[in-house]
Amino acid sequence: QVQLVESGGGLVQAGGSLRLSCAASGRIGDVKSMSWYRQTPGRVRDLVAGISRGGRTNYADSVKGRFFISRDNARTTVYLQMNSLKPEDTAVYYCNVVTETVAVGMSGMEYWGEGTQVTVSS
């Protein structure tokens, strides 16, 4: 089965940087997108950054210019480089992978990691 394991979270001072990694294992299929989401208690899980199969990226307005998403060539690992961190970036960050829907009646799969805590102190 597919597993996504995040790493790289921790405690950092405002203005600092962290790099999150998400390593995928198992037969994941054709990847449609790889993304990072974040969630704080009492709030919905929000998209932070995503990268498509073709390498197109998108970012939440709140992180544009500060966060950068990338992946390895095998699409087994996705990274989130987080720079100029702010206290409001504090959240649990989740890795998400969506696979392609390639046939009628066969939906793409969606996978989630268990999350990694990022805490930014002021």
Side-chain angles (χ1 to χ4, degrees):
Q1 65 273 15
V2 173
Q3 290 187 331
L4 305 179
V5 180
E6 300 103 335
S7 63
L11 175 65
V12 65
Q13 294 183 165
S17 297
L18 287 173
R19 190 179 77 156
L20 305 182
S21 298
C22 173
S25 62
R27 197 176 72 175
I28 199 168
D30 291 335
V31 173
K32 181 179 181 179
S33 65
M34 308 180 80
S35 305
W36 288 95
Y37 288 73
R38 67 186 181 188
Q39 186 172 26
T40 56
R43 299 186 63 185
V44 299
R45 188 174 297 183
D46 295 322
L47 176 68
V48 177
I51 184 166
S52 72
R53 190 180 194 278
R56 290 163 291 181
T57 59
N58 66 290
Y59 299 91
D61 288 341
S62 60
V63 306
K64 285 181 179 177
R66 300 189 297 120
F67 290 12
F68 302 92
I69 189 169
S70 62
R71 67 185 181 203
D72 66 354
N73 290 334
R75 301 192 186 98
T76 57
T77 306
V78 61
Y79 306 94
L80 184 68
Q81 179 66 47
M82 305 186 294
N83 301 318
S84 301
L85 283 161
K86 304 175 181 179
E88 52 262 44
D89 295 319
T90 296
V92 177
Y93 284 71
Y94 296 90
C95 177
N96 171 265
V97 175
V98 175
T99 61
E100 296 281 2
T101 300
V102 297
V104 175
M106 183 178 176
S107 299
M109 300 295 293
E110 185 173 32
Y111 304 97
W112 291 93
E114 293 184 355
T116 184
Q117 177 71 48
V118 172
T119 302
V120 184
S121 64
S122 60

